[in-house]
Coordinates of all heavy atoms in Angstrom, one line a residue:
K48 N 6.0 2.3 3.7 CA 6.4 3.6 4.1 C 6.5 4.4 2.9 O 7.3 4.1 2.0 CB 7.7 3.5 4.9 CG 8.3 4.7 5.4 CD 9.6 4.5 6.2 CE 10.0 5.9 6.7 NZ 10.2 5.9 8.1
A49 N 5.8 5.5 2.9 CA 5.8 6.5 1.8 C 5.4 7.8 2.3 O 4.4 7.9 3.0 CB 4.9 6.0 0.6
F50 N 6.0 8.9 1.8 CA 5.6 10.2 2.3 C 4.9 11.0 1.1 O 5.6 11.3 0.1 CB 6.8 11.0 2.8 CG 6.5 12.3 3.4 CD1 5.9 12.4 4.6 CD2 6.8 13.5 2.7 CE1 5.6 13.7 5.2 CE2 6.5 14.7 3.2 CZ 5.9 14.8 4.5
E51 N 3.7 11.3 1.3 CA 2.9 12.1 0.4 C 2.9 11.5 -1.1 O 2.9 12.3 -2.0 CB 3.3 13.6 0.4 CG 3.0 14.1 1.8 CD 3.4 15.6 2.0 OE1 3.9 16.2 1.0 OE2 3.1 16.2 3.1
D52 N 3.0 10.2 -1.2 CA 3.0 9.5 -2.5 C 2.3 8.1 -2.3 O 2.9 7.3 -1.6 CB 4.4 9.3 -3.0 CG 4.5 8.6 -4.3 OD1 3.5 8.0 -4.8 OD2 5.7 8.5 -4.8
N53 N 1.2 7.9 -2.8 CA 0.5 6.7 -2.6 C 0.6 5.7 -3.8 O -0.2 4.8 -3.9 CB -1.0 6.9 -2.2 CG -1.9 7.4 -3.4 OD1 -1.4 7.7 -4.4 ND2 -3.1 7.4 -3.1
S54 N 1.6 5.9 -4.7 CA 1.8 5.0 -5.8 C 1.9 3.5 -5.4 O 1.3 2.6 -6.0 CB 3.0 5.3 -6.6 OG 3.0 6.7 -7.0
L55 N 2.6 3.2 -4.3 CA 2.8 1.9 -3.9 C 1.6 1.3 -3.1 O 1.5 0.1 -3.0 CB 4.1 1.8 -3.0 CG 5.4 2.1 -3.8 CD1 6.6 1.9 -2.8 CD2 5.5 1.3 -5.0
V56 N 0.7 2.2 -2.6 CA -0.5 1.7 -2.0 C -1.4 1.0 -3.0 O -1.9 -0.1 -2.7 CB -1.2 2.9 -1.3 CG1 -2.6 2.5 -0.7 CG2 -0.4 3.6 -0.3
R57 N -1.5 1.6 -4.1 CA -2.3 1.0 -5.2 C -1.7 -0.4 -5.6 O -2.4 -1.4 -5.7 CB -2.4 1.9 -6.5 CG -3.1 1.1 -7.6 CD -3.4 2.0 -8.8 NE -4.4 3.0 -8.4 CZ -5.7 2.8 -8.3 NH1 -6.2 1.6 -8.5 NH2 -6.5 3.8 -8.1
K58 N -0.4 -0.4 -5.7 CA 0.3 -1.7 -6.1 C 0.0 -2.8 -5.0 O -0.2 -3.9 -5.3 CB 1.8 -1.5 -6.3 CG 2.0 -0.7 -7.6 CD 3.5 -0.5 -7.8 CE 3.7 0.4 -9.0 NZ 5.1 0.8 -9.2
A59 N 0.1 -2.4 -3.7 CA -0.2 -3.3 -2.7 C -1.6 -3.8 -2.7 O -1.8 -5.1 -2.7 CB 0.1 -2.7 -1.3
F60 N -2.6 -3.0 -2.9 CA -4.0 -3.4 -3.0 C -4.4 -4.2 -4.2 O -5.4 -4.8 -4.3 CB -4.9 -2.3 -2.7 CG -4.9 -1.8 -1.3 CD1 -4.8 -0.5 -1.0 CD2 -5.0 -2.7 -0.2 CE1 -4.9 0.0 0.4 CE2 -5.0 -2.3 1.1 CZ -4.9 -1.0 1.4
E61 N -3.5 -4.1 -5.2 CA -3.7 -5.0 -6.5 C -3.4 -6.4 -6.2 O -3.8 -7.3 -6.9 CB -2.9 -4.4 -7.6 CG -3.4 -3.1 -8.2 CD -2.6 -2.4 -9.2 OE1 -1.4 -2.8 -9.3 OE2 -3.0 -1.5 -9.9
E62 N -2.6 -6.7 -5.1 CA -2.3 -8.0 -4.7 C -3.4 -8.7 -4.0 O -4.2 -8.0 -3.3 CB -1.1 -8.1 -3.8 CG 0.2 -7.4 -4.3 CD 1.2 -7.3 -3.2 OE1 1.0 -7.7 -2.1 OE2 2.3 -6.7 -3.6
P63 N -3.5 -10.0 -4.0 CA -4.5 -10.7 -3.1 C -4.2 -10.3 -1.6 O -3.1 -10.5 -1.2 CB -4.3 -12.2 -3.4 CG -3.6 -12.3 -4.7 CD -2.8 -11.0 -4.8
G64 N -5.2 -9.9 -0.9 CA -5.0 -9.4 0.5 C -5.0 -10.6 1.4 O -4.3 -10.5 2.4
Q65 N -5.7 -11.6 1.2 CA -5.8 -12.8 2.1 C -6.0 -12.5 3.5 O -5.3 -13.0 4.4 CB -4.5 -13.6 1.9 CG -4.3 -14.1 0.4 CD -3.0 -14.7 0.1 OE1 -1.9 -14.2 0.6 NE2 -2.9 -15.7 -0.6
G66 N -6.8 -11.5 3.8 CA -7.2 -11.1 5.1 C -6.1 -10.2 5.8 O -6.2 -10.0 7.0
R67 N -5.2 -9.7 5.1 CA -4.1 -8.9 5.7 C -4.6 -7.5 5.9 O -5.6 -7.1 5.4 CB -2.9 -8.9 4.8 CG -2.1 -10.2 4.7 CD -0.9 -10.0 3.8 NE -1.3 -9.9 2.4 CZ -0.5 -9.4 1.4 NH1 0.7 -9.1 1.7 NH2 -1.0 -9.3 0.3
V68 N -3.8 -6.8 6.8 CA -4.1 -5.4 7.0 C -2.8 -4.6 6.6 O -1.7 -4.9 6.9 CB -4.3 -5.1 8.6 CG1 -4.4 -3.6 8.9 CG2 -5.5 -5.9 9.0
L69 N -3.0 -3.6 5.7 CA -1.9 -2.8 5.2 C -1.7 -1.6 6.2 O -2.6 -0.9 6.4 CB -2.1 -2.3 3.8 CG -1.0 -1.5 3.2 CD1 0.3 -2.4 3.0 CD2 -1.4 -0.9 1.9
V70 N -0.5 -1.5 6.7 CA -0.2 -0.4 7.6 C 0.7 0.6 6.8 O 1.8 0.2 6.3 CB 0.6 -0.9 8.9 CG1 1.0 0.3 9.8 CG2 -0.2 -1.9 9.6
I71 N 0.2 1.8 6.6 CA 0.9 2.8 5.8 C 1.5 3.9 6.7 O 0.7 4.5 7.5 CB -0.1 3.5 4.8 CG1 -0.7 2.4 3.9 CG2 0.7 4.5 4.0 CD1 -1.9 2.9 3.2
D72 N 2.8 4.0 6.7 CA 3.4 5.1 7.4 C 3.6 6.3 6.4 O 4.5 6.3 5.7 CB 4.7 4.7 8.0 CG 5.3 5.8 8.9 OD1 4.8 6.9 9.0 OD2 6.4 5.6 9.5

């Protein structure tokens, strides 16, 4: 959950995804 800031999106995608789906609010 982040409003008009995708800093944590990059951090999430730097992790191994292992077939997960990232849901961004």
